Amino acid sequence: MPPAAPALTSRIKGEPNMNSDSNISDTKDVEVASHPKDASRRNLLKFAGAGLAATALASPVTSAMAQVPEEANTEPLNIVRKGIDKSFEVFNIDILEEEAKRFYNKGTYVFVKNGSGRQWTLAENQRAWDDYVMTPNRMQGIVREEIDLSVNLLGTQLPHPLIITPFGSHGLHHPAAELATAKGAAKTGGLLSVSSASTASLEDIAKASDGPKWFQIYLDVDEGFSRELLQRAKAAGYKAIILTVDSIGQGSSDEYEYLGKLRPWLPYGNFPAGRSTRFKTNLSWSDVEMIRKETGLPVIVKGLTRPEDARAAISAGAGAIQVSNHGGRALDGTPASITVLPSIAEEVKGEVPIILDSGIRRGTDVVKSLALGADAVAIGRPVMFGLATGGASGVDSVIRYFHQETVDAVLHSGVDSIAKLGKEHVRRI
């Protein structure tokens, strides 16, 4: 059995994690409630560094969290903490999710983990990986430590193909919100996609780390406001714009509706105080051209599941395609992203990069995606569970888990770089 994590006591004196590059200066006492399953859970995740380095990350997001009304909680949080920052070894995302679950109230957890409707698509995103098997290629003389996971995306050289997908309201997971996520992503040089529905402002997130960042936008019905957001992103140094096209009527799960949508509603850091969000639903391909002209930056069209839509996006000037069903959170009943990837890759034929998201939980999922035509993958919920459990260092821990598993899967494939993965390395059963 792995060594037990440091014991959770009734009061922990927080100290900065010496393995973290976070600019943490304040040290706070953190109240920790006992949890009946702590003893068994401590054997599931191995915590590194200074243990539970529970520290307050100074940021405007902390005050936003303080505004959460008590009535939003359907049950008390098991742990009340201020800015935990800790590293741990991830063995399995389901186990990590169970650990992270302690940091949410029930309404928030159901909102984060669930998809829409009866959640067929959410389940299919997981099941569909089993439609493909790996085909190991032995005796190829591959040295594990020399395997190359690097990829160039839209002019940015990245050390690995693991992107943090745009995900709104990181303040639901950690007091430092996207500031912690940005610092965690930067530890491995990973690319962070920042949602326009972020808790922190896009400018503050840009300043939080030197890591590469793209900005995702939901176009507003007020085109002037959308243009303003785009100009702000360009000025802040974002290298590309992601246009999400599949969340024109984001659904909720039946369970979340039954609970009465009980979760804290945090302010969006990119919107003026008191301004409601009014996302545009009548999107058209001309919106891609508008974004290109407004920013001069590459545009990634996110949310495509049909080859003909991928072709239309390229014709409209898209610099990349993101194959996605919004993690099962948009229209229930759509196929898994991995199911539609081969036909889209066949249509695109390498003209622009392809990114795949939705349902990735293992390194074998990453390699199957790359072998079937994706250039990179984008990861959502697992990163949020890492953020909730360990802040910036938790995000880093999740990326390192995927990195290690991806290297292992590439090694078994018998190639020394992800650029050499192809259809011969997987087989549909």
Side-chain angles (χ1 to χ4, degrees), residues 113-317:
K113 77 176 290 286
N114 282 6
S116 63
R118 63 189 181 96
Q119 305 188 87
W120 183 89
T121 295
L122 182 77
E124 183 67 1
N125 280 337
Q126 295 293 301
R127 187 214 62 79
W129 298 110
D130 294 335
D131 290 341
Y132 297 90
V133 294
M134 306 287 293
T135 56
N137 193 8
R138 304 304 186 192
M139 308 295 285
Q140 299 303 304
I142 307 301
V143 179
R144 186 187 189 280
E145 291 72 22
E146 297 177 1
I147 290 174
D148 181 12
L149 297 190
S150 66
V151 61
N152 189 292
L153 288 179
L154 302 177
T156 298
Q157 188 67 27
L158 300 169
H160 56 72
L162 309 170
I163 299 172
I164 296 179
T165 206
F167 208 107
S169 297
H170 289 203
L172 289 174
H173 312 271
H174 192 275
E178 291 83 6
L179 308 186
T181 311
K183 291 172 183 175
K187 289 173 181 285
T188 63
L191 176 65
L192 172 64
S193 302
V194 174
S195 172
S196 56
S198 57
T199 307
S201 73
L202 65 91
E203 289 86 359
D204 285 345
I205 300 167
K207 295 174 185 175
S209 76
D210 293 329
K213 300 177 186 71
W214 292 348
F215 181 71
Q216 175 272 341
I217 190 167
Y218 297 106
L219 289 180
D220 197 86
V221 295
D222 180 350
E223 186 172 308
F225 180 73
S226 292
R227 291 178 182 271
E228 178 185 331
L229 268 183
L230 292 168
Q231 285 297 328
R232 286 171 57 190
K234 181 180 181 180
Y238 291 83
K239 300 302 182 184
I241 303 297
I242 303 170
L243 172 61
T244 297
V245 300
D246 65 347
S247 190
I248 55 177
Q250 184 168 325
S252 297
S253 68
D254 296 342
E255 182 183 6
Y256 185 61
E257 293 285 340
Y258 178 76
L259 289 174
K261 299 183 178 180
L262 288 177
R263 74 164 175 94
W265 286 93
L266 303 182
Y268 290 145
N270 296 315
F271 292 77
R275 186 191 189 281
S276 61
T277 56
R278 297 173 295 167
F279 296 148
K280 178 180 178 180
T281 62
N282 57 331
L283 299 171
S284 69
W285 296 115
S286 63
D287 291 318
V288 176
E289 180 64 17
M290 182 275 289
I291 294 171
R292 289 181 60 218
K293 287 183 177 179
E294 190 68 29
T295 64
L297 297 173
V299 180
I300 302 95
V301 179
K302 176 183 181 293
L304 302 184
T305 57
R306 293 161 57 106
E308 51 268 45
D309 285 347
R311 173 53 53 196
I314 294 172
S315 298

Side-chain angles (χ1 to χ4, degrees), residues 13-17 22-30 53-59 62 82-85:
K13 182 70 174 179
E15 296 180 355
N17 185 341
S22 303
N23 57 346
I24 301 171
S25 57
D26 295 334
T27 321
K28 300 288 185 180
D29 286 348
V30 179
T55 55
L57 290 99
S59 81
T62 307
K82 296 179 180 179
I84 287 176
D85 185 78

Side-chain angles (χ1 to χ4, degrees), residues 352-376:
V352 300
I354 296 176
I355 302 159
L356 179 136
D357 72 52
S358 300
I360 294 170
R361 297 294 183 272
R362 311 288 319 206
T364 50
D365 302 341
V366 176
V367 169
K368 288 175 184 180
S369 301
L370 301 177
L372 291 172
D375 297 277

